[in-house]
């Protein structure tokens, strides 16, 4: 019985981050595995950090991509969740210990032994490879059922960007109708957060440094307010007005200015991942009992809940669909913020076998 299957993708071989065609192998479909043809894969900002080893734990060769959707081509004999022909998705993780308190409580994303979809190290020492590739093999427990008639190209980023914003809004109680919630950074994460918040029934104010985004924020996304976070007068005028803020900014920035916008007992929740540590202003937390926390994606149960909620409310990211051979240019554009708001690779139609 064949233990591996051939696959083709685009990967980085070193810290230059340059992506090029790469042939590799995946495991053959096991009893509980799902194999699927990758149709689309979103480009996450973390892909850019990872291929260039900005965070210091990259393994090469690396095939990025953890916003993966496609159609099932083969299932193992014990798979019950999906069948051949079904549409599915895979997000940021592909395995966990399944025994610890986190796993038992459907929080596999916080399992200390979780394995990432790419750049993860398997028990045998081999690496995991992501969705910039033609096929994917994953345990059915880490596969998301894709809702009928829900667009896969626009929807692909939801299995990362969607759950990254949905989960903290739910967990920290910022999903209650009538609350006034700020979203810092109107980008790939931020614009999805706004869509979820509006569906929850909250009042939303967007904080961003680009005045060019204001009309889109108000007229298209339906935000209730827009503040230029680099304009002290606008920030001061909004001091003490927000019940919570979801901080989606992925570059170094001031937490003090965000904490100042919160009401007493307000919550600042960070999901953006800057390259360098941020300074934490303890005094601002203690004087008005403000809270600061973080969040990383969500468990598989909650991810399925998020996808189903998004389909019900027609929540889809704004995307620019690109070909596989455009991905290096896309990375350059992503680095300078030149995308509205998420790149999605049309893997199915544009990835050619080398």
């Amino acid at each position: 019985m064949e233990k591996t299957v051939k696959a083709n993708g685009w990967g980085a071989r070193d810290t230059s981050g340059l992506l090029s065609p790469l042939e590799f192998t995946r495991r053959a479909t096991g009893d509980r595995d799902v194999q699927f043809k990758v149709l689309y894969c979103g480009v996450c900002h973390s892909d850019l950090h990872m291929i260039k080893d900005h965070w210091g734990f990259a393994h090469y060769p690396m095939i990025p991509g953890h916003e993966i959707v496609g159609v099932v081509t083969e299932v193992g004999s014990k798979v019950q969740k999906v069948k051949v022909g079904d549409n599915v998705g895979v997000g940021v993780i592909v395995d966990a210990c399944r025994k610890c308190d986190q796993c038992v409580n459907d929080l596999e994303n916080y399992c200390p032994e979780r394995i990432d979809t790419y750049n993860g190290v398997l028990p045998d020492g081999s690496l995991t490879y992501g969705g910039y590739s033609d096929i994917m093999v994953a345990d059915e427990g880490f596969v998301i059922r894709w809702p009928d008639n829900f667009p896969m190209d626009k929807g692909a980023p939801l299995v990362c960007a969607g759950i990254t914003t949905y989960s903290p809004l739910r967990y920290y109680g910022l999903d209650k109708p009538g609350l006034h919630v700020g979203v810092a950074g109107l980008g790939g994460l931020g614009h999805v957060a706004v869509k979820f918040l509006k569906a929850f029934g909250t009042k939303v104010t967007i904080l961003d440094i680009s005045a060019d985004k204001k009309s889109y924020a108000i007229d298209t996304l339906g935000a209730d307010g827009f503040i230029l976070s680099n304009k002290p007068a606008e920030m001061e005028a909004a001091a003490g007005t927000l019940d919570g803020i979801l901080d989606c900014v992925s570059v170094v920035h001031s937490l003090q200015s965000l904490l100042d916008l919160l009401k007493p007992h307000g919550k600042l929740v960070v999901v953006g991942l800057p390259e360098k540590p941020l300074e934490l202003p303890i005094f601002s937390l203690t004087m008005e009992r403000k809270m600061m926390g973080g969040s990383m994606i969500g468990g598989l149960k909650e991810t399925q809940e998020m996808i189903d909620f998004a389909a019900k409310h027609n929540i889809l990211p704004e995307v620019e669909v690109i070909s596989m051979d455009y991905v290096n240019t896309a990375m350059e554009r992503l680095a300078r913020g030149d995308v509205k708001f998420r790149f999605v690779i049309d893997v199915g139609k544009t990835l050619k076998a080398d």
Side-chain angles (χ1 to χ4, degrees):
M1 181 178 178
E2 188 180 14
K3 295 183 179 180
T4 61
V5 291
K6 290 183 179 180
N8 290 280
W10 276 52
R13 292 170 170 81
D14 53 46
T15 58
S16 70
L18 183 68
L19 296 158
S20 58
L22 189 65
E23 186 176 288
F24 65 104
T25 59
R26 294 198 185 276
R27 69 174 183 267
T29 307
D31 288 347
R32 299 189 183 279
D33 283 338
V34 175
Q35 182 178 141
F36 64 94
K37 173 181 171 60
V38 177
L39 297 180
Y40 299 97
C41 185
V43 177
C44 180
H45 204 282
S46 62
D47 295 348
L48 176 61
H49 289 302
M50 288 297 295
I51 60 175
K52 293 180 176 292
D53 197 22
H54 286 164
W55 294 327
F57 52 86
H59 303 287
Y60 298 99
M62 181 192 300
I63 295 178
H66 57 211
E67 301 178 350
I68 316 165
V69 293
V71 59
V72 176
T73 55
E74 185 178 28
V75 297
S77 60
K78 296 181 180 179
V79 170
Q80 298 180 344
K81 192 174 189 178
V82 296
K83 63 184 184 302
V84 172
D86 286 352
N87 292 336
V88 294
V90 166
V92 179
I93 57 174
V94 289
D95 209 349
C97 80
R98 313 181 199 208
K99 298 178 292 184
C100 69
D101 287 346
Q102 303 306 313
C103 287
V104 169
N105 286 287
D106 299 311
L107 294 168
E108 303 91 347
N109 50 313
Y110 297 118
C111 172
E113 297 180 26
R114 68 182 179 272
I115 296 176
D116 292 339
T117 299
Y118 73 88
N119 198 57
V121 181
L122 295 165
D124 64 2
S126 61
L127 300 178
T128 58
Y129 298 116
Y132 295 15
S133 59
D134 55 358
I135 63 169
M136 187 75 191
V137 179
D139 184 283
E140 70 168 330
F142 294 82
V143 169
I144 302 300
R145 294 184 300 272
W146 201 257
D148 292 338
N149 303 314
F150 194 49
M152 300 182 79
D153 51 356
K154 290 185 176 182
L158 288 172
V159 295
C160 173
I163 191 61
T164 295
T165 53
Y166 181 92
S167 182
L169 293 173
R170 290 294 203 193
Y171 178 78
Y172 288 98
L174 300 179
D175 57 345
K176 307 296 186 291
L179 289 181
H180 189 179
V181 181
V183 174
L186 184 55
L189 292 177
H191 88 288
V192 175
V194 173
K195 293 187 177 193
F196 279 127
L197 285 165
K198 295 304 293 183
F200 294 151
T202 68
K203 180 180 179 181
V204 183
T205 292
I206 295 172
L207 316 164
D208 201 274
I209 61 173
S210 174
D212 294 340
K213 296 179 182 180
K214 183 174 182 177
S215 61
Y216 173 78
I218 303 295
D219 300 334
T220 303
L221 287 181
D224 301 281
F226 186 93
I227 297 171
L228 283 171
S229 54
N230 56 354
K231 298 293 184 182
E234 293 191 26
M235 294 289 280
E236 290 170 11
T241 62
L242 302 178
D243 295 293
I245 298 173
L246 190 68
D247 183 358
C248 304
V249 179
S250 58
V251 297
V252 175
H253 59 287
S254 167
L255 295 177
Q256 179 70 67
S257 62
L258 297 180
L259 287 168
D260 288 344
L261 299 178
L262 292 175
K263 299 174 183 177
H265 329 298
K267 301 170 184 176
L268 172 60
V269 184
V270 178
V271 293
L273 296 173
E275 292 178 37
K276 297 179 181 179
L278 304 180
E279 183 176 329
L280 180 60
I282 297 297
F283 203 80
S284 293
L285 292 178
T286 59
M287 295 304 291
E288 293 186 312
R289 200 167 67 173
K290 295 175 182 178
M291 178 188 296
M292 185 172 171
S295 183
M296 189 196 78
I297 58 169
L300 272 296
K301 181 179 179 180
E302 188 176 41
T303 302
Q304 186 69 61
E305 173 191 305
M306 177 276 304
I307 283 288
D308 294 339
F309 181 92
K312 180 179 179 181
H313 294 273
N314 196 32
I315 294 172
L316 289 163
E318 303 294 329
V319 306
E320 179 180 335
V321 179
I322 61 172
S323 62
M324 190 75 252
D325 60 9
Y326 186 79
V327 68
N328 287 305
T329 302
M331 289 295 182
E332 293 173 3
R333 289 178 54 192
L334 182 60
R336 61 178 185 264
D338 179 24
V339 57
K340 187 180 176 183
F341 285 98
R342 209 78 167 183
F343 288 117
V344 172
I345 305 168
D346 186 344
V347 177
K349 292 181 180 177
T350 68
L351 174 60
K352 309 299 181 185
D354 201 18

